[in-house]
Amino acid sequence: MLKLNFHPSGRHFLQIPGPSPVPDRILRAMSLPTIDHRGPEFGALGLELLSKVKKIFKTENPVIIYPASGTGAWEAALANTMSPGDRVLMFETGHFATLWQKMALRLDIQPEFLSLPGYEGWRQGVQADMIEARLKEDTGHELKAVCVVHNETSTGVTSDIAAVRKAIDAAGHPALLIVDTISGLASADFRHDEWGVDVTVSGSQKGLMLPPGISFNALSPKAIEASKQSTLPKSFWAWDEILEANKNGYWPYTPSTNLLYGLNEALDMLLDEGLDNVLARHQRWGAGVRAAVAAWGLEIQCQDSAVYSPVLTGVVMPEGVDSDAVRKIIYERFDLSLGMGLGKAKGKIFRIGHLGDCNDLTLIATLGGCEAGMKLAGVKLKGSGVLAALDYFAANPLNAGAAER
Ligand SMILES: *Cc1c(COP(=O)(O)O)cnc(C)c1O
């Protein structure tokens, strides 16, 4: 029988790319008493949250918060903007893009799924030129939206969303731009307004360092206009009633009060540190982890250095090695959880999350667990990734002032 109270000494290493480790400060904030969600204190909290969260999305427009996982916010983005039978253009970057495309089909939307041949698209980002070419062909403007994943969590590839915006503009096409940055927000650079995104979808348990359970839709004026014409059925997800209640800091139904305490704390932590600093430390961790993989003599999943993810790294196992068997050894021997290969990458890769509440030494320990576990599994390594990452981190301090914090 599964023993949920099993507790080896020390902290578990939760290095999957979401849920990411939740800082104690956030857990403490969440342990405050649940209050009346229609009372005066709640309204003040709601207004503060709804204003602060915009800074993380880099938007002046409304951000909707749902008591749901990221998948709910995917559905909300489509249900609020589309009508039955509408066509949308999606791009196959990996497993999450594929799941979103399947969801579109279930919602009676007709997705066109652009992809590179074979497995190639799972090792590259969104190809903006393919989107531009397809939109140019669509002279009747049948395609109502372009839906892309910003940080493809199944592969460790972060697509260039500004390039997708340019492609849509270059084609002179009116399609909405809908972007999933569930795992990119607060870890990889994301700019809702500047990049002209119409709906940004995000979630709580990745860069925001919260437990799973809340998710987001950041809107644009064009998206709000589209929602007035959209006829897909929606009630729980409908933006109009939420936007109305949000004016006073409330929700039309019971929000996840304690997760919102946590969100408030997370926003303070991120904004105090400064988003630029947050992004810089993720970039640096990504580079350190890639230095380790290179020293091991292994490949990483992302084949385009322009779009390496600062959030996670997919490590490709040599032919004949089952990545799930390696992960199992690492979990059992070192109490370290790594991300599994999903979909087409199943058994081929494992994923190291380097997002949120980490530091150089938690990542060195993580790489230590990977290195020792791969040796136990009989994977031939060229050299020590742990030493390479240590050298990288030592030679590349985050910033001169960091030691004085
Ligand atoms: C985690 C994730 C999702 C799914 O979110 P859930 O919270 O599991 O519903 C979707 N897209 C991406 C890119 C993700 O990383």
Side-chain angles (χ1 to χ4, degrees):
M1 209 178 81
L2 181 69
K3 281 198 272 173
L4 282 173
N5 60 354
F6 169 72
H7 182 67
S9 63
R11 287 241 166 171
H12 175 69
F13 278 78
L14 183 66
Q15 297 298 145
I16 57 176
S20 65
V22 181
D24 293 352
R25 204 177 135 179
I26 291 180
L27 290 173
R28 278 195 295 274
M30 289 179 49
S31 73
L32 291 175
T34 304
I35 55 173
D36 173 8
H37 62 290
R38 313 244 185 243
E41 289 160 292
F42 193 94
L45 170 70
L47 287 176
E48 184 176 333
L49 273 177
L50 290 164
S51 144
K52 277 195 292 205
V53 77
K54 292 182 185 185
K55 297 189 180 141
I56 306 293
F57 286 87
K58 298 203 171 150
T59 183
E60 305 282 326
N61 293 297
V63 177
I64 303 257
I65 307 176
Y66 290 109
S69 87
T71 304
W74 261 352
E75 177 158 345
L78 296 173
N80 277 284
T81 54
M82 297 293 125
S83 299
D86 274 356
R87 306 185 74 90
V88 299
L89 194 59
M90 298 180 128
F91 200 95
E92 186 183 349
T93 43
H95 186 63
F96 287 101
T98 305
L99 290 179
W100 201 12
Q101 180 253 359
K102 285 190 183 148
M103 170 187 272
L105 283 170
R106 295 182 74 126
L107 291 174
D108 196 16
I109 291 167
Q110 297 183 53
E112 241 181 82
F113 210 26
L114 290 179
S115 54
L116 290 170
Y119 188 49
E120 210 184 315
W122 285 50
R123 304 195 68 174
Q124 310 276 337
V126 171
Q127 306 294 301
D129 55 343
M130 288 170 67
I131 290 182
E132 183 176 333
R134 180 63 190 93
L135 291 179
K136 279 182 171 158
E137 279 169 23
D138 180 35
T139 49
H141 298 164
E142 295 286 312
L143 293 162
K144 300 302 176 200
V146 173
C147 304
V148 289
V149 175
H150 174 224
N151 187 70
E152 178 53 81
T153 323
S154 62
T155 61
V157 178
T158 306
S159 287
D160 183 349
I161 301 303
V164 176
R165 174 76 264 166
K166 276 198 201 119
I168 298 172
D169 293 346
H173 200 287
L176 295 170
L177 174 56
I178 306 182
V179 179
D180 164 351
T181 190
I182 293 180
S183 64
L185 193 77
S187 304
D189 188 20
F190 189 81
R191 310 174 189 190
H192 178 84
D193 286 1
E194 186 183 324
W195 293 346
V197 182
D198 292 299
V199 188
T200 295
V201 179
S202 197
S204 57
Q205 75 273 28
K206 320 246 166 135
L208 289 176
M209 309 177 290
L210 296 166
I214 49 179
S215 54
F216 307 89
N217 276 179
L219 314 182
S220 74
K222 187 171 158 185
I224 295 172
E225 273 316 301
S227 73
K228 294 175 185 158
Q229 315 303 323
S230 145
T231 60
L232 271 181
K234 56 201 152 275
S235 168
F236 181 79
W237 304 119
W239 292 339
D240 54 358
E241 289 183 2
I242 301 174
L243 287 173
E244 193 53 38
N246 279 180
K247 284 183 186 159
N248 300 313
Y250 298 99
W251 271 261
Y253 37 72
T254 318
S256 317
T257 308
N258 291 56
L259 277 167
L260 295 181
Y261 295 159
L263 175 62
N264 200 31
E265 196 71 11
L267 294 174
D268 285 344
M269 289 171 74
L270 292 165
L271 296 171
D272 285 351
E273 182 178 353
L275 259 192
D276 288 347
N277 295 329
V278 172
L279 303 182
R281 74 175 151 78
H282 283 85
Q283 287 291 348
R284 180 172 165 278
W285 288 337
V289 169
R290 291 194 298 275
V293 181
W296 287 328
L298 298 173
E299 262 185 59
I300 74 165
Q301 178 72 4
C302 178
Q303 287 182 321
D304 178 358
S305 62
V307 288
Y308 285 147
S309 173
V311 178
L312 75 142
T313 299
V315 182
V316 181
M317 288 294 90
E319 269 308 309
V321 176
D322 174 6
S323 62
D324 285 335
V326 176
R327 279 177 53 253
K328 184 168 186 283
I329 291 175
I330 293 171
Y331 174 75
E332 288 174 353
R333 292 290 294 270
F334 305 109
D335 198 22
L336 162 62
S337 291
L338 297 166
M340 66 189 299
L342 295 167
K344 290 182 187 173
K346 179 158 176 52
K348 296 183 178 174
I349 70 171
F350 64 77
R351 296 169 299 139
I352 303 174
H354 33 82
L355 69 162
D357 195 40
C358 298
N359 62 34
D360 290 6
L361 292 186
T362 57
L363 292 177
I364 290 296
T366 298
L367 294 168
C370 294
E371 188 164 315
M374 285 191 288
K375 282 184 187 164
L376 287 170
V379 178
K380 296 254 175 325
L381 302 178
K382 197 171 90 189
S384 171
V386 173
L387 288 181
L390 261 177
D391 286 346
Y392 180 88
F393 289 144
N396 296 277
L398 187 54
N399 62 52
E404 287 145 39
R405 274 211 312 266

